[in-house]
Amino acid sequence: MLASLILIPLAVALAIVVLPAASARAAALLGTLAAAAMTVVALVQFDWTEGGLMQFLTTTEWLPALGINLSFGADSISMLMIALTALLGPICVLASWTAITERVKTYYAWLLILQAAMVGVFVARDLIFFYICFEFTLIPMYVLISLYGSTNRKRAATTFFLYTFTGSVITLAGLAYVAYFNSTLPVDAFAGAGTWTFDIDTLEKAAAGQMSLSQQSLVLLALLCGFAVKVPLFPVHTWLPLAHTEAPTAGSVILAGVLLKLGTYGIYRFALGYTPDAFVYYAPVIATLCIIGILYGGLICWVQTDVKKLVAYSSVAHLGFCVLGLAALNHTGIQGSILYMINHGLSTGALFLLIGFMYERYHTRNMKEIGGLAAKMPIWATFMVFFVMASVGLPGLNGFVSEFLCMFGTFQASDHWSTGIWGSENAATIGATGGKLGPWYAAIAALGVIIAAMYLLIMVGKVVFGPLKEPGGHDSHGGGHSGGHGADSHTHLPPDLTAREITALVPLALACLIFGIYPKPLFEALKDPVNDTVAWVHKIAPPPMPEGNVNPSMIGSVEIGSPAANAASNVQEIAR
């Protein structure tokens, strides 16, 4: 089942190579739709009542002498990320329909190969297979940026490749060390100990259960070198704005929607799973970097004149919230973080689509040259305002749910709730969880929400509303502008969105609305794996709590019917 989600895009990519160029678009669309249909089948067959268990498990020997297997499996978190990837596949093909007219076969073939590699990351149960898929995503994205990007595409592609490749090599060294460490353990330590293997579950027991804090710290540093760059976290974020700005529209959508989430997914799977002691110890440092990124990214957005670069820098801030939720190390924060992975992919991916559609018509993204587009593009303007509100975190839309939970989880995560200004000494504080963050971290991070609302609403005010302003020499029929290398300068588009472009946006809009109003199914899907992760971290590294507090593993959870779940689920009531 899971292997087919990788093989279908790969097979269609090979077919595109031998098909005539005129058939490449249709073949790519059919291929991504077939992968989406197979994903729906997998979602239906998946047992969501056992979301914490790895399902569809299959293992095939690959290099048995080295302990390397082709091993697949997925829990509910993997399935949700696969669903996001499958949803964005046909949307990216539709978005590229008129923008890419040169080297069409190359473009769509690499687009499908990229989708296969991203799915491979989410289903891998062998470290080497995970790393191959994780690293191989660099090649298709490098090709898409360098061949089909804007003016500085070569520099953007090279910077992207060097940053992410260098970090990933260090991560590989850390993972290899874990495998070596496991091979040195006594064979009776646990099943699989004392053998040379790259099985993810076996190595998790070795790293988390047998390594010292200093050893885990080195492994955590190695993991973050690759995963933090991919997210990206401050200060290793500088490749992202350039890559986003120069990438073709579909490249930016995939980059924001899925590729960046490979980093947060890696932190969740491996940093929390393999190095819980070290992650707990360094959680304040990680959270501080997240908060710096939130505020710094927001302030940089405030002074941007290029609307695409503004949205690119906003990803630095948004994903700071995502990792901050993981650093809270409680149910609420981790659930919020995983929801953020999905919701950011929906809303920010849609914003890049809208900016791409505008660029195809006006060949500019400069807010000094363009504005008041609601007068000429009312459908485009409606979608733009909607997705900006989702990105801001308006209650009733998806962004609010995840952002609220990330900050609420951070707010809870303190060992000092019963002391000082937060309460009476040794008094039980219901809802508090052990941790090294707490209200001050949440309060400072919340400033990023205010900054985000300001720069996004200012952008909407300039680009969408006000008097109509168009760049000089603009063709009133909407065409006549190149969308970058590989775009047809003679393609004419109507002033407002076409049916094809609306079709690409509607599924994202519906998802943002549904997940904002009724996120309960997502909570249900995430409950078991998140509970298992928190229990695992607390088992290996129990958070200290003041005397009189309740068991940290039993509180702070976003269980169905809990105050946190009700607050997030009933966002319309909160808004009122």
Side-chain angles (χ1 to χ4, degrees):
M1 174 61 73
L2 297 180
S4 65
L5 301 180
I6 301 173
L7 295 176
I8 289 174
L10 287 178
V12 176
L14 292 175
I16 288 174
V17 173
V18 299
L19 287 172
S23 303
R25 294 184 186 85
L29 182 59
L30 290 174
T32 52
L33 288 174
M38 186 58 68
T39 301
V40 171
V41 173
L43 292 172
V44 171
Q45 294 183 357
F46 188 85
D47 183 1
W48 294 95
T49 62
E50 298 289 347
L53 298 179
M54 286 292 165
Q55 301 179 38
F56 307 126
L57 286 169
T58 57
T59 300
T60 304
E61 285 191 349
W62 187 12
L63 298 172
L66 299 177
I68 301 173
N69 299 311
L70 288 176
S71 183
F72 305 107
D75 62 2
S76 58
I77 294 173
S78 298
M79 292 303 298
L80 291 174
M81 296 308 299
I82 292 168
L84 176 63
T85 306
L87 173 65
L88 293 178
I91 289 174
C92 288
V93 174
L94 289 174
S96 307
W97 207 269
T98 56
I100 304 298
T101 56
E102 298 178 9
R103 301 181 182 178
V104 176
K105 294 168 61 173
T106 302
Y107 178 85
Y108 287 108
W110 281 113
L111 195 65
L112 286 159
I113 292 171
L114 177 57
Q115 178 170 331
M118 292 187 299
V119 172
V121 170
F122 299 129
V123 303
R125 301 305 303 157
D126 181 273
L127 270 185
I128 297 300
F129 182 66
F130 166 86
Y131 183 80
I132 289 172
C133 293
F134 182 85
E135 195 73 348
F136 190 77
T137 58
L138 303 184
I139 299 174
M141 185 55 70
Y142 177 87
V143 173
L144 294 178
I145 296 174
S146 64
L147 294 183
Y148 304 94
S150 299
T151 307
N152 294 322
R153 58 185 180 273
K154 297 293 185 184
R155 177 169 170 258
T158 302
T159 303
F160 159 75
F161 189 90
L162 290 178
Y163 262 78
T164 50
F165 178 76
T166 302
S168 297
V169 169
I170 299 173
T171 295
L172 176 62
L175 296 175
Y177 172 72
V178 174
Y180 165 76
F181 178 83
N182 179 72
S183 70
T184 64
L185 294 175
V187 293
D188 58 350
F190 55 86
T195 62
W196 192 259
T197 180
F198 288 93
D199 177 70
I200 289 177
D201 292 332
T202 300
L203 296 185
E204 183 177 73
K205 296 174 185 177
Q210 304 294 325
M211 282 186 173
S212 64
L213 176 61
S214 59
Q215 289 173 312
Q216 283 194 20
S217 298
L218 291 175
V219 173
L220 176 63
L221 178 62
L223 293 176
L224 290 179
C225 283
F227 298 145
V229 169
K230 186 77 82 174
V231 172
L233 286 180
F234 177 89
V236 289
H237 66 284
T238 53
W239 65 269
L240 178 65
L242 183 62
H244 259 318
T245 305
E246 300 301 321
T249 298
S252 294
V253 172
I254 292 177
L255 197 58
V258 183
L259 208 64
L260 303 185
K261 310 312 184 302
L262 303 186
T264 52
Y265 180 83
I267 292 173
Y268 170 77
R269 284 286 184 214
F270 299 105
L272 266 65
Y274 282 30
T275 60
D277 273 319
F279 202 92
V280 168
Y281 187 81
Y282 292 105
V285 177
I286 296 171
T288 300
L289 293 178
C290 293
I291 292 172
I292 293 173
I294 290 168
L295 301 179
Y296 166 82
L299 293 174
I300 293 294
C301 288
W302 208 345
V303 299
Q304 294 303 313
T305 57
D306 185 320
V307 64
K308 192 175 185 182
K309 187 173 287 187
L310 183 151
V311 177
Y313 270 109
S314 75
S315 290
V316 177
H318 287 313
L319 291 171
F321 281 109
C322 184
V323 179
L324 183 64
L326 293 176
L329 294 169
N330 54 30
H331 302 76
T332 309
I334 294 175
Q335 273 194 335
S337 175
I338 297 167
L339 286 175
Y340 218 124
M341 296 183 205
I342 299 167
N343 291 332
H344 177 266
L346 297 171
S347 57
T348 304
L351 287 177
F352 280 118
L353 283 176
L354 288 163
I355 294 168
F357 296 155
M358 179 191 74
Y359 188 79
E360 274 194 77
R361 289 162 170 80
Y362 291 100
H363 196 43
T364 183
R365 300 182 297 260
N366 194 329
M367 289 186 283
K368 294 180 180 179
E369 299 177 357
I370 196 167
L373 294 184
K376 193 169 184 179
M377 304 173 66
I379 300 175
W380 179 91
T382 301
F383 278 111
M384 189 69 174
V385 172
F386 177 87
F387 287 115
V388 164
M389 292 300 104
S391 187
V392 165
L394 181 72
L397 297 177
N398 62 329
F400 171 76
V401 180
S402 46
E403 203 161 69
F404 171 78
L405 291 178
C406 286
M407 287 191 292
F408 188 36
T410 303
F411 189 83
Q412 292 175 306
S414 174
D415 298 332
H416 304 290
W417 266 107
S418 298
T419 60
I421 65 174
W422 303 117
S424 302
E425 186 172 2
N426 294 329
T429 305
I430 303 301
T433 66
K436 298 184 178 181
L437 306 184
W440 287 115
Y441 285 83
I444 298 172
L447 295 175
V449 178
I450 301 172
I451 296 172
M454 294 178 71
Y455 67 70
L456 285 169
L457 294 177
I458 289 171
M459 181 267 287
V460 167
K462 291 180 178 179
V463 176
V464 177
F465 300 111
L468 179 64
K469 180 169 58 176
E470 298 177 304
H474 172 69
D475 183 353
S476 62
H477 294 290
H481 294 294
S482 169
H485 191 77
D488 185 355
S489 60
H490 302 291
T491 297
H492 290 272
L493 293 169
D496 211 348
L497 298 182
T498 64
R500 169 184 58 83
E501 293 166 329
I502 294 173
T503 301
L505 291 167
V506 166
L508 299 177
L510 289 175
C512 289
L513 188 61
I514 293 170
F515 295 157
I517 294 175
Y518 191 67
K520 180 178 178 179
L522 293 178
F523 286 150
E524 291 279 13
L526 296 176
K527 181 173 65 174
D528 286 346
V530 171
N531 286 349
D532 292 345
T533 298
V534 174
W536 174 254
V537 172
H538 288 175
K539 176 183 177 182
I540 303 299
M545 292 290 289
E547 183 180 353
N549 272 11
V550 291
N551 187 345
S553 66
M554 301 301 293
I555 55 182
S557 167
V558 187
E559 300 290 344
I560 303 305
S562 71
N566 290 336
S569 299
N570 300 301
V571 291
Q572 294 291 16
E573 294 182 17
I574 294 173
R576 287 194 290 268

